[in-house]
Amino acid sequence: MTTRGVRKRLDFNRAVEREVLRECVATALQAPSGSNQWALQFVIVTDPEIRAEFGELYRRCYERYRGFDGAYIGSIDKGSEELNRQQHRTTVSADYLGAHMGQAPVLVAACAVGRAEDGPAFAKTSLLGSVLPGMWQFMLAARLRGLGTAWTTISLMEEERTGEILRIPVDEVTVGAITPVAYTIGTEFKPARRPDPDDVIHWNGW
Ligand SMILES: Cc1cc2nc3c(=O)[nH]c(=O)nc-3n(C[C@H](O)[C@H](O)[C@H](O)COP(=O)(O)O)c2cc1C
């Protein structure tokens, strides 16, 4: 309930121990995987030059994303003043990461071996579905250890460049999400406002 996308409260000045990251990966690997094939792989970047280069790419892609009316987080009308205030707070947070991604002490890319763009829905959902639950489990494990994360995909607007910078062969590997990882400034986070369960459940059919 309290694992939020953390951006403004990432402590850029504190290193994250490799052993702690290993523990988070161990938790991630308990997630489900299609045909029990263990496709999930992690690229964990601590090198300052690679992080800075990725930060520049993220900044450039974020600037493009800001122009996508209806998709940019700050262009979405949630329909009430209260919800729009929450949306605005998240926008300020996302904009901040747009400018500071490269300062996070660690970047983690969750990947799967394989590509499925030309395959049937079954192949696509199986491939991505073998990565995304593990990444979320990584993030929950990180939260338990005082670390903050923020799910991002924006740099994948330039997938090839993402692969070049992070040294990932994206012609044969699918990147599911990339997160900054850092200790959080303070550890208290609150549940976010979300729809009522009854508004999203379709009992016995859509
Ligand atoms: C598929 C997906 C892509 C996302 N991409 C980005 C991103 O590129 N940059 C970013 O700052 N947040 C990104 N987010 C995080 C969302 O903005 C965040 O989950 C949402 O605003 C809810 O905030 P909360 O998780 O703190 O409640 C992404 C989330 C998902 C699920």
Side-chain angles (χ1 to χ4, degrees), residues 3-7 58 62 65 73 86-87 90-91 93-95 97-98 101 132 136 150-155 176-178 190-194:
T3 305
R4 300 271 68 79
V6 185
R7 304 177 188 87
Y58 190 83
Y62 195 86
Y65 163 70
I73 192 166
Q86 182 193 314
Q87 189 74 0
T90 311
T91 300
S93 165
D95 288 356
L97 188 66
M101 176 67 104
L132 307 186
W136 182 240
W151 196 283
T152 81
T153 51
I154 280 171
S155 65
I178 299 169
K190 294 196 179 83
R193 184 72 195 275
R194 290 292 199 257

Side-chain angles (χ1 to χ4, degrees), residues 62 65-76 87 91-92 94-95:
Y62 195 86
Y65 163 70
R66 279 174 74 107
F68 295 169
D69 203 27
Y72 170 52
I73 192 166
S75 70
I76 293 166
Q87 189 74 0
T91 300
V92 171
D95 288 356

Side-chain angles (χ1 to χ4, degrees), residues 17 29 32 51 53 62 110 117 119 159 165 176 182 187:
E17 305 83 350
L29 293 172
R51 288 188 288 114
E53 230 182 317
Y62 195 86
E117 50 269 50
E159 188 186 25
I165 295 172
T187 52

Side-chain angles (χ1 to χ4, degrees), residues 3 16 19-30 42 133-149 181-183:
T3 305
V16 179
E19 187 46 35
V20 175
L21 294 165
R22 255 193 100 259
E23 287 170 14
C24 296
V25 170
T27 302
L29 293 172
Q30 293 294 325
F42 288 91
M135 182 54 141
W136 182 240
Q137 213 146 284
F138 177 97
M139 290 170 154
L140 295 173
R143 164 83 177 121
L144 271 178
R145 290 163 178 78
L147 297 166
T149 56
V181 181
Y183 281 100

Side-chain angles (χ1 to χ4, degrees), residues 42-181:
F42 288 91
V43 173
I44 302 186
V45 177
T46 55
D47 180 283
E49 273 177 40
I50 303 177
R51 288 188 288 114
E53 230 182 317
F54 183 76
E56 272 317 298
L57 171 67
Y58 190 83
R59 183 196 304 271
R60 186 167 75 237
C61 291
Y62 195 86
E63 276 312 307
R64 262 171 69 199
Y65 163 70
R66 279 174 74 107
F68 295 169
D69 203 27
Y72 170 52
I73 192 166
S75 70
I76 293 166
D77 185 349
K78 281 289 183 72
S80 83
E81 215 173 285
E82 188 206 341
L83 291 180
N84 281 340
R85 265 201 303 276
Q86 182 193 314
Q87 189 74 0
H88 178 70
R89 281 196 300 275
T90 311
T91 300
V92 171
S93 165
D95 288 356
Y96 176 85
L97 188 66
H100 297 279
M101 176 67 104
Q103 287 169 252
V106 179
L107 300 172
V108 174
C111 310
V113 179
R115 301 285 309 187
E117 50 269 50
D118 300 326
F122 162 73
K124 290 177 190 152
T125 52
S126 298
L127 187 67
L128 278 177
S130 298
V131 182
L132 307 186
M135 182 54 141
W136 182 240
Q137 213 146 284
F138 177 97
M139 290 170 154
L140 295 173
R143 164 83 177 121
L144 271 178
R145 290 163 178 78
L147 297 166
T149 56
W151 196 283
T152 81
T153 51
I154 280 171
S155 65
L156 293 168
M157 280 181 203
E158 293 192 32
E159 188 186 25
E160 273 187 27
R161 187 73 191 121
T162 297
E164 270 168 31
I165 295 172
L166 300 181
R167 281 98 164 135
I168 300 169
V170 292
D171 51 334
E172 52 195 59
V173 169
T174 301
V175 180
I178 299 169
T179 182
V181 181

